[in-house]
Amino acid sequence: MQLSREELLQAYRRMKVIREFEERLHVEIATGQIAGFTHLYCGQEAVAVGVCEHLDASDKIVSTHRGHGHCLAKGCDVDGMMKEIYGSREGLCNGKGGSMHIADVDKGMLGANGIVGAGAPIAVGAALSLKLDGQGKVAITFSGDGACNQGTTFEAMNLAVVTKAPCIFVFENNHYSEHTGFEYAVGTNKDIASRAEAFGMKVWRADGTDFFAVYETMRDVLEYVRDGNGPAAVEFDTERFFGHFEGDPQNYRGKGELERIRAERDCLTNFRQKVADAKLLEGTVLDAIDEEVLDQIDAAVDAARAAERPQAEDVLTNVYVTY
Ligand SMILES: Cc1ncc(C[n+]2csc(CCOP(=O)(O)OP(=O)(O)O)c2C)c(N)n1
Ligand SMILES: [Mg+2]
């Protein structure tokens, strides 16, 4: 483990912010105060944070419909995101993106996306422009086990190899595509990373519920891609703690499955255990972070509830680019 104390604390705080942001949204959505569809990222925090802790704002990421965690890991403002999800004109995208279309270009977060598989081609385009810039920057696309079956993903992977684009395909295998199990929906070869390998990419695989496994793996992946070797792919095995969308009754889950994954595959518990065993961080310090994060999320919700709603004159703003 080569992370400094500050880096460890920052990683834990980021994962905890995502966790509490999502746990609280789960409650807020049930009040009916938030319009539209919401897909929670809770359970997958170690992937977003283990990837994005290596990046700065000039590296780009492209997200999915389950994008809150990617946004927060890339440094998007917590208040701005909560306001966005609440549909406020003070939100990160003036309330016009909502949960599924948050973007923050200044942070290198090129957007969440409601179309499954649409992120990969965007990331390849961004990677090509970064290649032309020649500064060793990368574009990363997050995709699910469902998106790995989409033609867009295949085309993007091929184009990335052909053009040697500095693009990284991060596959988050949470075992479900909506309500359809991965075991059913992915063909006889269950090894998602091998699909990228078939196009000629170097690939990695790791446990996505272990922050350290994600972080160490990404160090190697990024070194390879930043060195100009072309694209790469990595598959992280992970878990989603809530339904596909908020309101999903999850009848397709096995008996006791949710309880089991929360008990055995929680990346925050895993992180705490690892840093305690290695005597790197004290539990009391992490408890203090937990308290601060809860206060931060409380404040974000209060601010979002009080924030200005859209006005009629907002309808035509931010619709077209004006040159
Ligand atoms: C092109 C397209 N097809 C279908 C859908 C409906 N849909 C939304 S999310 C989803 C499942 C995606 O599964 P996965 O890629 O594993 O991501 P996860 O939901 O697990 O994060 C589907 C089929 C869609 N939004 N876009
Ligand atoms: Mg999935």
Side-chain angles (χ1 to χ4, degrees):
M1 256 182 266
Q2 297 160 30
L3 286 147
S4 69
R5 184 180 173 84
E6 286 64 38
E7 287 168 334
L8 286 169
L9 290 171
Q10 173 164 299
Y12 180 78
R13 183 184 292 275
R14 284 227 155 107
M15 289 197 289
K16 186 70 181 169
V17 165
I18 299 171
R19 172 67 52 89
E20 294 306 334
F21 192 94
E22 301 290 71
E23 292 279 5
R24 185 62 183 271
L25 269 185
H26 178 68
V27 173
E28 292 302 306
I29 286 159
T31 68
Q33 295 299 303
I34 294 173
F37 244 51
T38 316
H39 308 83
L40 300 183
Y41 189 74
C42 196
Q44 303 183 205
E45 297 87 349
V47 177
V49 176
V51 170
C52 291
E53 284 300 290
H54 289 282
L55 311 179
D56 65 26
S58 48
D59 292 305
K60 316 289 184 198
I61 67 165
V62 185
S63 177
T64 67
H65 54 286
R66 199 175 300 290
H68 306 159
H70 305 137
C71 293
L72 290 166
K74 197 69 171 58
C76 293
D77 180 59
V78 172
D79 283 0
M81 277 188 59
M82 193 63 88
K83 287 177 179 171
E84 184 61 34
I85 292 166
Y86 261 82
S88 162
R89 72 197 303 209
E90 297 171 27
L92 213 52
C93 304
N94 305 112
K96 293 189 173 167
S99 165
M100 257 190 288
H101 298 97
I102 301 183
D104 189 346
V105 175
D106 292 340
K107 294 269 161 50
M109 171 29 187
L110 301 189
N113 206 314
I115 303 170
V116 174
I122 297 171
V124 177
L128 284 173
S129 98
L130 292 170
K131 183 179 176 180
L132 291 176
D133 289 344
Q135 303 294 315
K137 295 293 164 186
V138 302
I140 296 182
T141 172
F142 292 92
S143 305
D145 47 289
C148 82
N149 295 324
Q150 291 291 99
T152 44
T153 306
F154 282 85
E155 292 178 45
M157 289 198 287
N158 188 58
L159 188 62
V161 171
V162 169
T163 58
K164 252 187 145 189
C167 188
I168 300 169
F169 296 82
V170 171
F171 290 104
E172 293 184 79
N173 183 355
N174 62 9
H175 317 130
Y176 291 101
S177 166
E178 283 203 354
H179 319 129
T180 309
F182 156 81
E183 290 296 334
Y184 171 82
V186 171
T188 318
N189 172 9
K190 303 293 176 197
D191 182 358
I192 293 175
S194 73
R195 295 178 174 203
E197 216 162 17
F199 284 103
M201 265 184 252
K202 190 164 159 84
V203 302
W204 282 259
R205 300 163 185 88
D207 179 359
T209 66
D210 176 353
F211 167 79
F212 295 100
V214 176
Y215 188 83
E216 300 295 335
T217 302
M218 285 309 295
R219 195 201 311 270
D220 295 344
V221 177
L222 280 154
E223 192 179 292
Y224 173 85
V225 176
R226 289 195 203 281
D227 276 356
N229 293 304
V234 52
E235 177 180 349
F236 292 117
D237 189 78
T238 182
E239 304 290 348
R240 123 163 104 70
F241 284 178
F242 286 110
H244 168 64
F245 61 95
E246 279 308 272
D248 173 5
Q250 302 187 74
N251 295 330
Y252 51 88
R253 292 252 199 205
K255 201 164 177 284
E257 181 180 327
L258 278 171
E259 294 76 12
R260 182 185 56 75
I261 60 176
R262 283 226 184 221
E264 296 172 9
R265 302 260 293 151
D266 183 333
C267 58
L268 286 165
T269 313
N270 181 309
F271 182 99
R272 275 182 168 259
Q273 190 65 53
K274 286 228 153 84
V275 294
D277 290 348
K279 297 197 173 23
L280 288 169
L281 296 174
E282 311 72 35
T284 48
V285 175
L286 298 177
D287 292 344
I289 291 179
D290 288 356
E291 290 297 318
E292 286 167 26
V293 169
L294 282 172
D295 289 347
Q296 183 184 10
I297 301 298
D298 270 350
V301 170
D302 289 348
R305 283 188 186 148
E308 248 192 295
R309 301 294 120 190
Q311 305 298 313
E313 65 265 25
D314 295 333
V315 168
L316 292 178
T317 57
N318 307 119
V319 179
Y320 301 107
V321 174
T322 33
Y323 295 100

